[in-house]
Amino acid sequence: SQQGEEDPQALSIQEGENATMNCSYKTSINNLQWYRQNSGRGLVHLILIRSNEREKHSGRLRVTLDTSKKSSSLLITASRAADTASYFCATALTTDSWGKLQFGAGTQVVVTP
Amino acid sequence: KAGVTQTPRYLIKTRGQQVTLSCSPISGHRSVSWYQQTPGQGLQFLFEYFSETQRNKGNFPGRFSGRQFSNSRSEMNVSTLELGDSALYLCASSLGRTAGNTIYFGEGSWLTVV
């Protein structure tokens, strides 16, 4: 079963626009990580946010975490065609979850030049 | 620094055969985990190894097995292949010892069962 649910399932935007996707999860977490996957490729790590953090930035990426609502959001600013990919949130449930993540179904983002 | 390396990248097997996939983690990483990705089920955790010991196991039949060597390299094996085993198999590595480490993934091994 999947812990997280991404919303929306698909997103189509133009270059230069911002893209926002949300992730909701069901149980308490230790941390949440966001990944990008280009078609047929592996997962590229974007950001890790711990349960005691509320916001993190990395370049054009901004991640927020609201543990009271059990939700996270990923914002990509000034999107580029190269941002076209599927984006996944993944949660580590406990301190014992060293390499074990539970993934959502992902958001498919298409950025049109 | 090299990333997580998986071999082979693509393979085709026949029902009933077995397959072995290999994973070399990032240098210094001792935790290796495996995931299966299919269009229908998404990304699902298979198992995790640390210091040659299986720490966690997902909900997969016993046909799926793995092991880790003293150099942290890992292999997973699927025996008696079924059509439904066709998937992208992803290996991931991290430092281990805590849930707070970044987990890095390889490019995956595409398995097609015919």
Side-chain angles (χ1 to χ4, degrees):
Chain A
S1 63
Q2 293 180 326
Q3 154 84 326
E5 295 289 335
E6 275 98 340
D7 169 52
Q9 291 186 328
L11 184 59
S12 185
I13 57 175
Q14 301 228 311
E15 263 190 333
E17 293 181 336
N18 294 342
T20 300
M21 58 211 86
N22 304 295
C23 166
S24 60
Y25 54 90
K26 299 171 185 171
T27 60
S28 296
I29 61 172
N30 178 277
N31 66 73
L32 186 148
Q33 306 191 40
W34 283 92
Y35 291 87
R36 183 185 76 230
Q37 185 178 38
N38 292 88
S39 182
R41 307 294 298 274
L43 299 175
V44 174
H45 186 268
L46 298 176
I47 287 184
L48 180 153
I49 187 164
R50 294 182 169 79
S51 59
N52 61 352
E53 298 175 311
R54 292 297 166 256
E55 187 172 311
K56 285 190 85 167
H57 296 255
S58 176
R60 295 183 296 112
L61 305 179
R62 171 177 170 254
V63 166
T64 62
L65 179 64
D66 187 335
T67 53
S68 66
K69 295 181 179 177
K70 291 187 171 58
S71 69
S72 175
S73 69
L74 170 66
L75 167 67
I76 305 172
T77 60
S79 62
R80 306 166 180 167
D83 295 327
T84 295
S86 292
Y87 292 81
F88 295 90
C89 69
T91 51
L93 299 185
T94 68
T95 55
D96 199 40
S97 304
W98 296 358
K100 181 179 179 180
L101 295 173
Q102 293 199 339
F103 283 85
T107 294
Q108 196 165 8
V109 175
V110 175
V111 182
T112 307
Chain B
K1 186 160 152 177
V4 180
T5 305
Q6 293 188 243
T7 57
R9 286 295 319 282
Y10 305 93
L11 65 167
I12 300 173
K13 290 286 187 178
T14 304
R15 262 184 310 175
Q17 287 187 314
Q18 72 160 6
V19 66
T20 299
L21 308 178
S22 180
C23 172
S24 293
I26 291 171
S27 178
H29 285 191
R30 295 169 62 190
S31 169
V32 174
S33 49
W34 290 87
Y35 293 79
Q36 181 197 65
Q37 186 177 26
T38 60
Q41 298 298 317
L43 280 150
Q44 294 188 290
F45 171 79
L46 279 157
F47 27 66
E48 179 201 359
Y49 288 86
F50 181 84
S51 291
E52 302 176 68
T53 301
Q54 188 179 87
R55 292 193 67 253
N56 280 301
K57 189 176 190 306
N59 189 24
F60 279 82
R63 299 185 296 107
F64 292 81
S65 62
R67 60 177 175 168
Q68 186 181 34
F69 302 96
S70 58
N71 61 358
S72 294
R73 193 175 68 82
S74 177
E75 290 180 347
M76 67 162 283
N77 184 276
V78 187
S79 62
T80 320
L81 284 165
E82 301 176 359
L83 296 178
D85 297 331
S86 295
L88 176 64
Y89 290 87
L90 292 161
C91 173
S93 78
S94 69
L95 291 170
R97 294 194 180 281
T98 172
N101 292 311
T102 297
I103 298 173
Y104 297 93
F105 283 79
E107 287 291 333
S109 292
W110 279 101
L111 171 65
T112 301
V113 182
V114 298

